[in-house]
Amino acid sequence: MSVVHLPLPTTLARPAGAAAPVGADSAPGDDAAPGSRGQLVDRFGRVHRDLRISLTDRCSLRCTYCMPEQGVEWLAKSSILTTDEIVRVAGVLATLGIVEVRLTGGEPLLRRDIVDVVRRVAEIEGVAGPLEVSMTTNGLKLPELADPLREAGLARVNVSIDTLRRDRFAELTRRDRLDDVLSGIRAARRAGFSPLKLNAVPMRGVNDDEIVDLVQFAVDNGAQMRFIEQMPLDAGHTWSRSEMVDAGEILDKLTQRFTLTPVGERGSSPSQDYLVDGGPTTVGLIASVSAPFCGACDRVRLTADGQVRNCLFAREESDLLPLLRGTDGHTPADDDAIAELLRRSIAGKRAGHGIDDPGFLQPQRPMSAIGG
Ligand code: SAM
Ligand code: SF4
């Protein structure tokens, strides 16, 4: 494999141990937007603007890199956040500078109230206008939901598709549903989602021979393709760094077939994008493992059962449920107390995910229960 150098990730804005910048845990200044509680800034100076909400840990597929075939330990139904609770937490985060929300899961479209969730979150006023709401989905329910979701204010959608071969799809996801994903992609296009992004996780000996075909599929279908390096988040804990298909290898395969032109700097976006044969199609490489973007990370996560996670790979969580519901000896908390918990969680964020550290430990939760 030839070595391909992706543009370097942004470095940490502030050395470890340095004092937190003004606004990290201070009250908003005179110039703050109305209702603002200041910004969510960690001790490395990273300002948090992007919220990922996992709406459910349930899923209609069983992708091998994400969920076990059977024996999933589901979150207790009673612990799943209600729409009101989600809207409340998103509202508090909006006062802390969050401007973008991605809804994910598990499979977000399995929630019966999904259109309502989108509508209500998209109505929340952030510091720079209404929150921008996007979604990552396996696409199975898009044929019936693409139009209502768009009408409810969903701005963008990413559909996951790892293979274009039916037998392979059935093996990889343990469900024979490729045709339904393809219908979902068509429905999303018809509904006017643009850009429509397609996500794939290349795996050695599984689908890495389809990297070029997937980009061609995106070109033919007016979509944008994004490849995500496989991360150690599978339920079976079988991930191996040496087996992983990295971004350099993906780029190698693509440049043998297409002319790729880098689009700008990666910045805080995890994706390094390239125009394919001059555009308009782009391909994005998300090199979470081989070129981590932790130094520019601006994400905070909320799980379906109300845990705040400051990193995909965090091993600690902050539990919002008792504050929201007044359980476990708590009285129901006001929004300031919720904001305080969110600030504390971000204050404890580590510099990076540490996948390459000798002491790295995979989080207990599989990806399906964290939210990708
Ligand atoms: N069910 C939806 C879907 O598949 O798009 C949303 C949830 S899924 C966890 C979100 C994204 O995470 C998907 O694009 C999926 O391919 C990706 N993903 C899941 N497990 C992963 C892993 N171990 N490494 C890298 N990406 C992963
Ligand atoms: Fe389900 Fe998405 Fe995980 Fe696949 S990647 S099992 S579709 S949550």
Side-chain angles (χ1 to χ4, degrees):
M1 186 197 81
S2 68
V3 177
V4 180
H5 294 287
L6 295 173
L8 286 174
T10 314
T11 50
L12 292 175
R14 178 175 299 273
V22 175
D25 52 11
S26 61
D30 291 344
D31 55 348
S36 169
R37 291 185 165 86
Q39 292 180 315
L40 269 183
V41 189
D42 70 11
R43 64 204 161 100
F44 305 105
R46 294 173 293 196
V47 179
H48 290 68
R49 298 197 174 87
D50 184 343
L51 167 65
R52 306 260 146 159
I53 306 179
S54 175
L55 293 177
T56 173
D57 61 330
R58 313 269 159 154
C59 191
S60 36
L61 300 179
R62 293 286 182 278
C63 303
T64 51
Y65 52 74
C66 180
M67 287 182 89
E69 185 163 13
Q70 39 194 300
V72 189
E73 278 184 41
W74 304 114
L75 299 174
K77 284 217 165 104
S78 59
S79 71
I80 302 295
L81 295 180
T82 62
T83 309
D84 284 346
E85 289 167 338
I86 291 167
V87 170
R88 180 166 176 214
V89 178
V92 173
L93 279 158
T95 67
L96 289 163
I98 291 294
V99 293
E100 282 182 54
V101 179
R102 179 164 292 269
L103 303 174
T104 178
E107 176 44 42
L109 297 184
L110 289 186
R111 255 188 100 115
R112 291 211 184 94
D113 56 356
I114 184 64
V115 175
D116 198 32
V117 173
V118 168
R119 188 185 316 281
R120 291 183 58 193
V121 175
E123 278 169 359
I124 296 173
E125 277 298 320
V127 290
L131 297 183
E132 185 176 281
V133 184
S134 59
M135 181 182 290
T136 305
T137 169
N138 64 27
L140 297 183
K141 278 181 164 275
L142 280 175
E144 66 256 40
L145 286 171
D147 284 325
L149 287 169
R150 186 135 173 80
E151 181 272 326
L154 188 66
R156 287 176 287 116
V157 71
N158 287 36
V159 182
S160 300
I161 180 161
D162 297 308
T163 172
L164 298 166
R165 301 190 195 171
R166 186 174 162 187
D167 53 340
R168 208 175 253 191
F169 186 94
E171 218 170 291
L172 206 158
T173 68
R174 305 179 176 116
R175 301 286 187 271
D176 186 8
R177 308 279 313 259
L178 176 63
D179 284 347
D180 297 321
V181 178
L182 295 173
S183 304
I185 291 170
R186 283 193 293 273
R189 271 192 81 190
R190 269 199 309 274
F193 286 105
S194 176
L196 173 61
K197 291 190 180 168
L198 307 177
N199 289 0
V201 178
M203 285 163 287
R204 194 168 306 287
V206 177
N207 62 347
D208 56 338
D209 56 346
E210 285 187 79
I211 287 171
V212 164
D213 294 350
L214 283 163
V215 172
Q216 189 59 51
F217 176 81
V219 170
D220 296 341
N221 288 278
Q224 314 291 349
M225 194 67 223
R226 289 160 41 114
F227 292 104
I228 309 170
E229 285 180 349
Q230 188 184 356
M231 296 177 280
L233 289 164
D234 55 312
H237 292 219
T238 58
W239 180 87
S240 134
R241 173 79 143 97
S242 54
E243 277 300 293
M244 187 191 83
V245 179
D246 67 25
E249 193 174 338
I250 299 168
L251 206 50
D252 250 2
K253 286 188 195 289
L254 291 175
T255 48
Q256 285 169 31
R257 171 70 174 273
F258 304 104
T259 302
L260 299 186
T261 316
V263 185
E265 282 292 316
R266 189 164 77 164
S268 74
S269 160
S271 179
Q272 174 61 53
D273 294 335
Y274 300 84
L275 281 180
V276 178
D277 290 342
T281 304
T282 60
V283 61
L285 304 183
I286 305 185
S288 332
V289 180
S290 65
F293 35 87
C294 303
C297 178
D298 65 351
R299 290 187 183 166
V300 55
R301 294 168 189 276
L302 178 66
T303 68
D305 58 341
Q307 306 295 315
V308 182
R309 295 179 63 90
N310 56 27
C311 175
L312 252 186
F313 294 93
R315 296 190 54 81
E316 307 83 31
E317 300 177 334
S318 304
D319 193 356
L320 269 178
L321 266 195
L323 270 70
L324 289 167
R325 296 185 179 175
T327 51
D328 290 352
H330 289 262
T331 43
D334 62 11
D335 288 355
D336 287 340
I338 289 172
E340 188 47 36
L341 181 142
L342 292 161
R343 274 201 200 95
R344 275 208 309 274
S345 170
I346 294 303
K349 183 161 173 154
R350 286 182 296 162
H353 57 45
I355 291 176
D356 283 331
D357 297 348
F360 173 75
L361 286 172
Q362 185 171 332
Q364 296 296 332
R365 287 179 187 253
M367 183 67 132
S368 56
I370 297 175

